[in-house]
Amino acid sequence: MKYKAVLFDFDGTICDTGEGIMKSAAFALEAYGYPAVEDSNSLSCFIGPPLLITFQEKYGADPAAAEKLVKKFRERYTDTGIYESALYSGITPLLKKLKEDGFLLAIASSKPQEYIEKLLVHFKINKYFNAVAGVSFSADCEPKSDIIMRCLEKLGVTAGEALMVGDKKYDIDGARMNHMDGMGVLWGYGTPFEFIEAGAKFIAEKPDDIEAAALGFFEQTEEVNGIFSGRIFTVHEDIVMLADGTQAKRELVDHNGGVAVVPLTEEGKIIMVRQFRAPYKEIVYEIPAGKLEKSEEPCRAGLRELEEECGVTAEKFFELGKIYPTPGYCSEIIHIYGAVHLKQSRQRLDEGEFLEVLEIPLETAFEKCMSGEFRDAKTVIGIMKIREMKNNGSLS
């Protein structure tokens, strides 16, 4: 189903506030004679739940002592710790896409509302949110379920129309108590087991998974069955849970990805190669390209392939984007680069690699893309992109 609204927890979901929170917790504990904290990561328990409860449950403070610890925590956090934070990668683009999709967005967090609003402005993402429901300094032990309910009321939506997204079991528990769906995220401080045990409907590995779930498209992988593992790719059959709760099978190919380069000479010609391609049993015209080794930097791989296949180096090397050549079954991503100010080097082909290097005028190459003579996807897209850049003056 498609939801109307997406509610986000803040710490550990939207923003990595861990450093400032843990340093401020250590500051408070040491100020009141608790043993010095040797490993600040041991204080991750303070990220998410109300501070007053954590000081009591984890450090045995009585209510009065816990109040003093919270006050000391805020002495440091209010002006210093709050800015020892950063948005998680991909969050801003996600919020932009969700707004373009027409969703209502809100924050439902156990963090003091003043801190949340200050950070939303600091990171320039306040414009994306229709409502913010945090806690007050004087009443920061409000149950997460109550905070979520307040948030729903501010948005004017029912529990069944909203998705709660968070990084801890408290977020999923709060959603369940309001009879709404919950989604756990793995870039924060929670674990898959924690989310499963709490009853999360979805688990997100990356921010884009949230948009997929909100739109009703997300597929949760339940089981992976290996079929083949080779030098270049692996094949497996997955059982996935669809958004409507039914199961389906997916035959998938995992691939490390590739890189391709559009080299443009000073004379306005594209350096290309042609070689025999076994899957099609024919000669294919392509821009220089190659596969990525695991964890290899695409830019370095592109420079390497350009020199090895064409015997050319480039003084200027720039991104043209990335493409998903076969999204129906393969995870391959091809990173495309442009290269200008070329210099002659030495060709170094791999053993068993046979190809011919050609120089084709840009307009001729474009015409061959349009006529269908050039059929390789990365080549067609790369040539069209470099031509558009040349024609609009953005290629210098």
Side-chain angles (χ1 to χ4, degrees):
M1 64 168 278
K2 180 178 179 179
Y3 300 91
K4 287 186 178 180
V6 182
L7 280 59
F8 291 90
D9 177 49
F10 192 78
D11 294 340
T13 303
I14 291 287
C15 189
D16 183 1
T17 54
E19 180 183 350
I21 289 173
M22 291 187 288
K23 284 183 177 180
S24 299
F27 172 79
L29 290 167
E30 290 172 12
Y32 281 96
Y34 287 82
V37 178
E38 295 182 3
D39 179 11
S40 62
N41 289 326
S42 66
L43 299 176
S44 62
C45 57
F46 285 94
I47 303 168
L51 295 171
L52 198 63
I53 292 175
T54 305
F55 280 122
Q56 292 179 69
E57 290 185 349
K58 301 295 184 180
Y59 287 87
D62 60 42
E67 287 277 6
K68 293 179 180 179
L69 285 163
V70 170
K71 187 176 180 180
K72 182 60 70 172
F73 172 97
R74 288 175 181 156
E75 280 184 21
R76 183 186 187 279
Y77 190 78
T78 299
D79 296 318
T80 302
I82 189 172
Y83 298 114
E84 295 169 329
S85 58
L87 293 180
Y88 286 104
S89 176
I91 288 297
T92 300
L94 167 68
L95 297 174
K96 183 174 184 294
K97 286 187 286 188
L98 287 172
K99 292 304 289 186
E100 291 172 350
D101 290 331
F103 291 103
L104 296 172
L105 303 183
I107 300 290
S109 170
S110 297
K111 193 180 191 71
Q113 183 145 339
E114 181 180 316
Y115 290 153
I116 298 170
E117 292 176 346
K118 189 178 289 188
L119 284 171
L120 291 178
V121 171
H122 176 69
F123 290 116
K124 300 179 181 178
I125 58 171
N126 54 309
K127 61 184 177 183
Y128 296 115
F129 292 97
N130 302 92
V132 176
V135 299
S136 67
F137 290 127
S138 59
D140 64 352
C141 290
E142 184 180 6
K144 191 61 180 268
S145 57
D146 290 358
I147 297 170
I148 291 172
M149 178 54 70
R150 283 198 291 110
C151 199
L152 293 172
E153 291 171 353
K154 284 186 176 185
L155 292 177
V157 299
T158 65
E161 295 173 327
L163 174 67
M164 178 66 208
V165 180
D167 74 307
K168 295 293 289 181
K169 66 178 182 179
Y170 310 103
D171 305 306
I172 308 304
D173 288 341
R176 191 185 67 253
M177 292 174 70
N178 280 290
H179 307 289
M180 66 186 292
D181 294 334
M183 186 173 204
V185 304
L186 295 181
W187 53 84
Y189 295 88
T191 65
F193 179 77
E194 178 180 342
F195 297 137
I196 293 169
E197 191 175 51
K201 184 172 183 179
F202 309 108
I203 298 177
E205 296 183 4
K206 57 185 185 301
D208 281 350
D209 291 344
I210 298 171
E211 183 189 24
L215 289 168
F217 299 158
F218 190 62
E219 297 183 3
Q220 187 76 56
T221 302
E222 302 288 316
E223 187 177 323
V224 178
N225 299 299
I227 297 174
F228 169 79
S229 180
R231 183 174 58 87
I232 298 175
F233 57 81
T234 60
V235 182
H236 50 98
E237 182 184 71
D238 293 1
I239 297 175
V240 300
M241 182 74 72
L242 305 180
D244 63 0
T246 60
Q247 288 189 334
K249 290 184 178 180
R250 298 284 184 258
E251 294 178 357
L252 302 174
V253 176
D254 288 342
H255 191 290
N256 287 341
V259 62
V261 184
V262 190
L264 182 65
T265 69
E266 297 293 334
E267 297 75 30
K269 295 180 180 181
I270 301 292
I271 299 179
M272 300 184 66
V273 302
R274 61 176 179 176
Q275 58 191 314
F276 187 81
R277 287 300 195 181
Y280 306 104
K281 304 297 188 221
E282 64 181 59
I283 294 172
V284 178
Y285 286 78
E286 302 173 54
I287 53 177
K291 65 180 183 297
L292 290 171
E293 300 301 328
K294 192 170 184 179
S295 302
E296 185 177 20
E297 171 60 43
C299 180
R300 289 182 178 275
L303 289 167
R304 182 195 68 232
E305 292 295 337
L306 176 62
E307 185 169 16
E308 289 181 354
E309 289 193 358
C310 302
V312 168
T313 60
E315 289 185 3
K316 185 176 180 181
F317 204 70
F318 51 93
E319 291 185 47
L320 290 175
K322 55 187 178 182
I323 60 172
Y324 299 169
T326 48
Y329 64 89
C330 185
S331 66
E332 181 182 17
I333 298 173
I334 298 179
H335 303 260
I336 304 179
Y337 293 88
V340 294
H341 306 317
L342 308 177
K343 289 186 177 182
Q344 201 64 38
S345 182
R346 183 173 65 87
Q347 186 185 52
R348 298 189 302 278
L349 297 179
D350 293 333
E351 184 178 352
E353 185 176 25
F354 303 96
L355 54 80
E356 179 184 6
V357 180
L358 307 166
E359 291 189 9
I360 299 177
L362 177 56
E363 285 304 313
T364 301
F366 173 74
E367 290 167 6
K368 290 180 181 292
C369 291
M370 294 300 295
S371 69
E373 185 175 344
F374 289 171
R375 292 183 285 275
D376 173 62
K378 65 183 180 295
T379 297
V380 172
I381 292 170
I383 288 172
M384 288 185 169
K385 285 197 170 192
I386 206 81
R387 178 180 183 267
E388 174 62 21
M389 289 182 68
K390 190 173 187 298
N391 288 347
N392 67 24
S394 60
L395 183 64
S396 57

